[in-house]
Amino acid sequence: MSIPVIYPSSHSDHNPALEFVNGVLRDFVECPQRVELIRDHLVRSGLAASCDPAGATSPEEVLETHDAGMVACLEAASTKMVGESDYVYAGVFSVRPEMARVATNPAHPFGHYCFDADTPIGKATWEAALSSAGVASAGASLLVTGDVRCVYALCRPPGHHAGSDFYGGYCYVNNAAIAAKRLLALGKVAIVDIDYHHGNGTQEIFWDDPRVFFGSLHGDPDFAFPFYSGYADETGGPGASGTTANFPLPAGTDGEAYLSALDRLLDQVAVFEPAVLVVSVGYDTYAGDPLSTFAVGVDDFARIGARLARLDRPALFVQEGGYCLEALGELAESLFSGYLAR
Ligand code: OKP
Ligand code: ZN
């Protein structure tokens, strides 16, 4: 038994060199090798039969999820960059009503839509973002037609921090959200976000949408990025109360503690009775991940995979984070072997 894996045809030229970590420049962790390592490992281990690149989404599909002003800003900024290694970083942010004016130059107001200084735009960025969304959307289509019951969209750049009119956290376009909207053709959708970071963008997009359940396990926002959302009392808007669920977890969370929180989340998913499941996959809960404070082990991912399979729904896995290059292949192998074994 193997899983169809699809990956973006043009992500590799989106390759920023550096990011600031506590005022010090470090290598940019969200690098092209991430998805290449996972892809190659899954093919070698026989878990992925073939591995096909998928094309871009349409601008119309992106605009169903994202604000036109933000899309224009991202595209214009990307188009303006010239050299291979030129990247523009937001550094001045629009905060509160007194600083909310939007310049008329579409390539100018990064800080109006961008919420951090870690999400640069280069000349290949916009195309890569569309390509990544296209992979998620192509994966959703395979489930909608009923061709497969499970597909892995190896998206890069990731998407779960991008909201309807904001982007950040290495994310520009919300791949999982775009796919989930397409999957509504099958009925209600549940998104389970197992990335180490709260999927603030996905949460915002479906906050008041009763057709989509969003549940996330993540480092407590009291200490973990993106800091301003992901608390347990965030449970959905007035039109969709109870369709958002957050499980902020403490530093040091190990496999045992993680799985018991996952079980509580999946109980809620089962009650929601979704027609289909989207899993925002992050491997950054792994103990060896440079961004993680958790102690989840390689074998725990197999147990996570088995728990997800137990829901017995068609499933789209969408790649989000995970930055320990040495372990990414093994982590993916563990997750999907656990999923398939169930
Ligand atoms: C993206 B995903 C300081 C550290 C930056 C940003 C975290 C983005 C995580 N430059 N932290 O959810 O894995
Ligand atoms: Zn993450």
Side-chain angles (χ1 to χ4, degrees), residues 160-161 195-197 282 284 291 320-323:
H160 71 153
H161 297 303
D195 187 276
Y196 171 74
H197 303 95
D284 42 8
L291 301 192
E320 305 288 357
Y323 308 97

Side-chain angles (χ1 to χ4, degrees), residues 75-271:
E75 186 172 14
S78 218
T79 308
K80 224 172 77 171
M81 294 296 113
V82 184
E84 298 270 280
S85 53
D86 291 349
Y87 286 86
V88 60
Y89 289 72
V92 180
F93 300 94
S94 159
V95 293
R96 290 172 278 281
E98 295 78 9
M99 284 186 72
R101 302 209 39 194
V102 182
T104 48
N105 169 8
H108 171 68
F110 308 108
H112 184 73
Y113 299 109
C114 189
F115 67 80
D116 70 4
D118 298 310
T119 313
I121 302 172
K123 70 171 181 173
T125 299
W126 183 239
E127 193 188 333
L130 290 181
S131 178
S132 190
V135 166
S137 161
S141 296
L142 288 175
L143 293 183
V144 169
T145 56
D147 290 340
V148 295
R149 246 184 99 76
C150 170
V151 53
Y152 188 11
L154 208 32
C155 295
R156 177 184 179 269
H160 71 153
H161 297 303
S164 57
D165 65 353
F166 57 83
Y167 73 95
Y170 315 143
C171 303
Y172 306 87
V173 167
N174 196 311
N175 310 311
I178 286 173
K181 288 199 180 180
R182 189 166 277 219
L183 289 169
L184 283 169
L186 295 172
K188 291 192 291 180
V189 180
I191 304 173
V192 173
D193 191 324
I194 59 169
D195 187 276
Y196 171 74
H197 303 95
H198 180 234
N200 59 320
T202 316
Q203 170 167 302
E204 182 267 338
I205 290 165
F206 296 115
W207 182 248
D208 213 14
D209 189 338
R211 302 167 304 168
V212 179
F213 178 94
F214 173 74
S216 179
L217 307 169
H218 45 265
D220 192 316
D222 268 355
F223 65 84
F225 183 93
F227 302 108
Y228 306 109
S229 66
Y231 290 96
D233 63 0
E234 296 163 24
T235 56
S241 176
T243 65
T244 293
N246 284 296
F247 292 80
L249 301 171
T253 294
D254 61 6
E256 227 44 61
Y258 191 87
L259 279 146
S260 84
L262 179 66
D263 284 340
R264 286 189 286 138
L265 169 55
L266 297 185
D267 284 347
Q268 288 194 46
V269 172
V271 169

